Every structure is written in C-alpha cells, then in structure tokens.
Amino acid sequence: MKIAFIGLGNMGAPMAINLSAAGHELMVFDLVEDALATLEQQGATRATCAAQAAENADVIVSMLPAGAHVRGLYLGDGNQPGLLETLSHKPLIIDASTISPEDARTVGAAASERGLSYLDAPVSGGIGGAKAGTLSFIVGGDAAAFEQARPVLEVMGKNIFHAGENGAGQVAKICNNMLLGILMSGTAEALALGVNNGMDPAVLSEIMKQSSGGNWALNVYNPWPGVMEDSAASRDYQGGFLTDLMAKDLGLAWELALDSKSAIPMGSEARNLFALHSAQGAGKLDFSSIQRLYRATQASE
Ligand code: NAD
C-alpha cells in the first residue's frame, strides 16, 4: 500500500519504520529535518509538505503532539489549507495522536462531509511498543473503515480495539492514561514511604508486586532508579513517555470530566502532581520521574 506518514517523533518514527519494513511504500513528512533523514535511510521517500506526502496515498497516518496540530493538518491553520481541502482522492485517514474526543469528532465530521473516512486511533504501549510493533490501538470510527484499517494497524500493533464511533477511541485512551497517572504517582508515593522507613526499594517492590498493590507502573515500569535494569528510572528518566505528555493527557481527562459533569478527584490530584513536576523542570523527562517529587521531600529533611 502507499502510505503517507506525518509526524515522525518518538512514536511516529518507529511506527513508520515498521510499516516500511513490512513492504509498504512510505512517503513521509515532519517539520524536523533529522526525522526525515532517519526515515529516508529506512527506505521511505521524504515529502516537502504534508499535501505532497498524501497526494497518491491509499492511507494517511498521522502521529502529532496535540489537537491543535491535528486540526491544523487536516482543517488548515489560517496560513495554509488543510489536507481535507487539498485531497483530490479518497484515502483512509488514521490519526494515532492523543487529542480530545471533541477535536477527533470535529475532524471526523469534516472528513465525512467530503466523503472521507477518518479514524481516531490513539495508542497505548509507549516507545517500546512502537519499536516492537506491539502497540494497542484504541479506535473510534465506523466499522467498515475500522476493518479497512486493520491490516495497517496490525503491522504496528498487537491489540486492535474498536471502541465505538469517532471520539470513542480518545475517550477510552484518556480514561486509561488517567488511571496510569494515578497508578504511577501512587506507586512512587508508596515506594518513597517505604524507603523513608528503611526499606530497600527492590525488596519492597517485589513484595508489593506479589501482593494486592501490584499494578502495571510497579510491575513493568518501576519508577525507583536501579530497581529494574531496563526502566526509564534506571537511565536517569531519559526517553520514554514524557511528563509533559502525561500532564497533557490528564488535562484532557479534566476537560472530559467538566464536559460530562464527572467527579475525578484522583485524576485531578494526579494532574496537579504532574503539572507541578513539569513546572519544576521535569517536562522532558519520562513521567515515572514523578518519583523525584517524593524523593525531594525526603532529601530536604
Ligand atoms: P513527539 O513530540 O516526539 O513527535 C511529534 C512529531 O510531530 C515531531 O517530530 C514534530 O516535529 C512533528 N510535527 C508537529 N507538527 C507537525 C506538522 N504540522 N507536520 C508534520 N510534523 C509535525 O511526540 P510523540 O511522543 O511521538 O507523541 C505523539 C503522540 O502520541 C502524542 O499525541 C502523544 O500524546 C501520543 N503518545 C505518546 C506516547 C509516548 O510514549 N511517547 C505513548 C502513547 C501516545
């Protein structure tokens, strides 16, 4: 298939590499020169703009930071027209970015008005999952478009879920990440409490993993440095899923809660913790560095 891939960052680059390795013909675009050069080395063709990448594509995949970028790409941003306006054929559109359900519905409705199929398909699984091709895709959009997208998604992911209509993929993804933010901050809090009371963090982790406190953040993404050899914590929180992106996702949960009059006391607390952590300079560190917020309390005693 001819695939246009737009947004070659931490997640997009390895996803695009997997599509290229599977034999698809890729035309790629990003604003960053290095990202384009990396993909070119992997056999993709670089485009000079998103419209050129999409020109002859059967499928367009985008992986951009936030809703403003996705709206700008598809609907235009005042300076240039959006892709929906410039397309002269009808490729399937798959946006894998994490954005608000409202933005996804807006772009989906605009695509539908032009006879185009649009899927919101945010992912779970992080950079490791993107590289290994084992992401979970949580898809919103109509069932026929979902089935059409499946073979492409299966190259990049292991679990492919159909959550419902446009926007539902984002709702499910935001609920998942709110829970992850709560679990990670709770895990960091419990580890700090134990260490402050003389426990070895590795021993405490093993005990909680085998007990009722076991959870994904503790079991596979331990935030305490040195407990897990290959965790972000053990490489000074470099790479991984950035604090700023977790803060963004918790902000999306907050908006969703306001819109639906839902109470999210734990999610709000997690949002404040990650926003504070980001404001203290940790925005570009992996989100498990929230551990430092708790260790700092201990150090200042
Ligand atoms: P990133 O910042 O590393 O990459 C985004 C890329 O988009 C950058 O290379 C940027 O230059 C490019 N870009 C921005 N605007 C563009 C435009 N108009 N045209 C072309 N390229 C443009 O972000 P990421 O970590 O790859 O995350 C992408 C999305 O995936 C986000 O919505 C994030 O919330 C979500 N996500 C990330 C992770 C993770 O672990 N990093 C996990 C799950 C979901």
Side-chain angles (χ1 to χ4, degrees), residues 25-49:
E25 204 179 307
L26 255 74
M27 191 136 188
V28 297
F29 180 65
D30 194 289
L31 303 175
V32 176
E33 166 61 30
D34 282 358
L36 290 166
T38 303
L39 259 294
E40 213 171 21
Q41 282 164 12
Q42 302 287 332
T45 307
R46 68 162 80 194
T48 53
C49 62

Side-chain angles (χ1 to χ4, degrees), residues 6-13 29-32 35 50 63-66 69 72-73 80 96-99 122-127 135 173 177 221 240-242 245 248-249:
I6 297 156
L8 306 165
N10 286 322
M11 294 293 287
F29 180 65
D30 194 289
L31 303 175
V32 176
M63 191 52 164
L64 299 173
H69 307 89
L73 174 67
Q80 53 186 9
S97 326
T98 303
I99 63 175
V123 302
S124 176
I127 295 168
L135 292 169
K173 164 71 183 171
N177 275 27
Y221 214 107
F241 179 49
L242 304 188
L245 288 178
K248 178 198 81 169
D249 290 355

